Amino acid sequence: MKRLLLTILAATGCLPGADQLLVLHKLDDSFGFYDAASGKLEAKVAVGRKPHEFALSADEKFAYVTNYGADTYTETQPGGNTITVIDLVARKAVGEIGLGEYHRPHGIERGKSGLFYVTTDFPASLVVVDAKKAKIVKAIPLTGKLPHMVQLTKDERKAWTADAGSGTVSVIDLANRRQTTQIEVGGVPMGFALTTDEKNLFVATRTNNMVVQLDAVANKLKRKLGVPGEPARMAPSPDGRWIYVSLIGSGELAVLNAHTQLEVNRVPVGQRAEGLRLAEDGRTLYVSAQAENKVVEFSAPDLERVKEIATPAKPDPTYLLRERKR
């Protein structure tokens, strides 16, 4: 009987521990659990108003969702000031981390120490959060406006924020928890791609239709690459050969050669393609077409379309949670 039950569960995609695709739904104020093989929505958890990004704990048992609280970065309303904590095993919200005076949390990344780094619009800051203690450890003020996404080095000694409101990238010394400089990149900087050797940082500048290459060591601008379609998010391949770019204006996905910086391929995704996630093995890509309420799975690096996954309103960030070993 037990074997029969397991067979039925596997056939329906409900076997505990099977690969899951995690998707944040911006306009549905929810976090979704999908069977990665079938694309079926299995569970949905309510979060705060207008959630924008999420990051996982090191053991992948919890997700931390930034509750932005505003439709777009151009709005002037204070927005939200919380992070929802989701138990990924129980599939339910188990708490909230208050950010006090720091409003409109957006980008969030976990450092090797387990601390989380969160960008906030008002005031413009990089907030350091101890998730276990559910409190702010430090808030680093930034001179750039509307810091969007954040990128960390592997050793957690340096960070960059894409300042969507000032056309800049802020450089932060995490060891001493202070901003050291600011780099002008122009347009509306949004997503990052840090090369595997951490020597070059690519920045998607949406309104300029460019990807800007920075010297990540010297903190200097090296090159501006024309990429039509309004670049939004980026992801480097594990082998360092490719950089994938979602294009929110044209609704496409492009791939750049990381060495020549030339665009080598481009395929359609759907309207307002933004959220972009490359699986750790570098073989599967997920891109969210927000205006069509779907996530599209591609194989990489050939960008062959594998399947479409229907979602609640305005999907954005995703994460492929691999089968748990039992």
Side-chain angles (χ1 to χ4, degrees):
M1 180 61 72
K2 182 179 180 181
R3 183 177 296 177
L4 176 60
L5 178 60
L6 289 173
T7 301
I8 293 171
L9 288 172
T12 58
C14 300
L15 183 62
D19 287 356
Q20 301 171 72
L21 181 66
L22 310 177
V23 183
L24 192 60
H25 316 123
K26 281 184 179 178
L27 291 188
D28 192 58
D29 298 341
S30 67
F31 183 94
F33 295 79
Y34 295 77
D35 176 70
S38 67
K40 179 184 177 182
L41 176 61
E42 295 182 338
K44 194 170 70 166
V45 176
V47 295
R49 184 172 177 271
K50 303 295 171 58
H52 267 49
E53 301 292 332
F54 69 88
L56 304 192
S57 57
D59 60 10
E60 296 190 329
K61 291 183 178 179
F62 295 93
Y64 299 88
V65 178
T66 55
N67 299 315
Y68 192 69
D71 286 326
T72 70
Y73 68 95
T74 57
E75 294 182 4
T76 57
Q77 65 191 69
N81 65 338
T82 60
I83 295 171
T84 297
V85 184
I86 297 174
D87 184 323
L88 297 178
V89 178
R91 294 183 172 183
K92 66 178 182 180
V94 292
E96 206 171 60
I97 301 173
L99 300 179
E101 66 182 284
Y102 298 94
H103 286 257
R104 291 193 0 191
H106 192 284
I108 179 169
E109 293 290 338
R110 173 179 47 81
K112 71 171 188 175
S113 67
L115 294 173
F116 288 84
Y117 296 83
V118 183
T119 59
T120 62
D121 285 355
F122 304 136
S125 306
L126 182 63
V127 179
V128 186
V129 175
D130 184 327
K132 292 182 179 179
K133 296 181 180 179
K135 70 174 188 178
I136 294 175
V137 174
K138 176 73 175 179
I140 304 168
L142 302 177
T143 54
K145 297 178 180 178
L146 308 180
H148 205 68
M149 304 298 280
V150 56
Q151 175 70 55
L152 310 176
T153 54
K154 290 189 287 287
D155 63 9
E156 202 178 338
R157 296 185 63 83
K158 188 175 184 178
W160 299 266
T161 62
D163 308 324
S166 54
T168 58
V169 170
S170 294
V171 184
I172 300 106
D173 174 356
L174 293 182
N176 295 295
R177 292 180 176 169
R178 64 185 182 89
Q179 180 180 341
T180 56
T181 190
Q182 186 171 283
I183 307 169
E184 297 284 339
V185 295
V188 177
M190 295 183 73
F192 286 124
L194 182 63
T195 55
T196 51
D197 60 9
E198 299 192 337
K199 292 182 178 180
N200 290 281
L201 180 68
F202 292 87
V203 188
T205 60
R206 178 177 168 182
T207 55
N208 272 2
N209 287 300
M210 287 184 179
V211 169
V212 177
Q213 182 183 5
L214 303 180
D215 183 321
V217 179
N219 300 318
K220 293 181 179 179
L221 191 148
K222 292 179 69 174
R223 188 177 178 185
K224 291 186 176 181
L225 320 169
V227 183
E230 301 183 23
R233 298 284 187 269
M234 295 190 293
S237 64
D239 61 9
R241 294 181 63 189
W242 316 109
I243 298 172
Y244 301 97
V245 187
S246 64
L247 304 170
I248 195 169
S250 62
E252 296 173 300
L253 171 64
V255 57
L256 310 180
N257 183 305
H259 302 296
T260 66
Q261 287 86 46
L262 296 176
E263 183 177 323
V264 296
N265 197 6
R266 177 183 291 230
V267 295
V269 178
Q271 293 181 51
R272 298 191 65 79
E274 183 172 3
L276 171 64
R277 175 69 64 174
L278 179 64
E280 289 186 2
D281 62 8
R283 298 170 59 185
T284 305
L285 273 163
Y286 295 95
V287 189
S288 299
Q290 297 183 86
E292 296 182 23
N293 299 330
K294 67 182 181 183
V295 173
V296 183
E297 178 184 335
F298 294 90
S299 58
D302 56 7
L303 304 190
E304 289 292 324
R305 202 179 192 95
V306 177
K307 64 174 175 285
E308 294 186 3
I309 300 169
T311 71
K314 207 171 182 181
D316 194 2
T318 62
Y319 186 86
L320 181 61
L321 188 59
R322 291 296 188 180
E323 178 182 355
R324 297 184 187 279
K325 293 183 173 61
R326 296 183 181 277

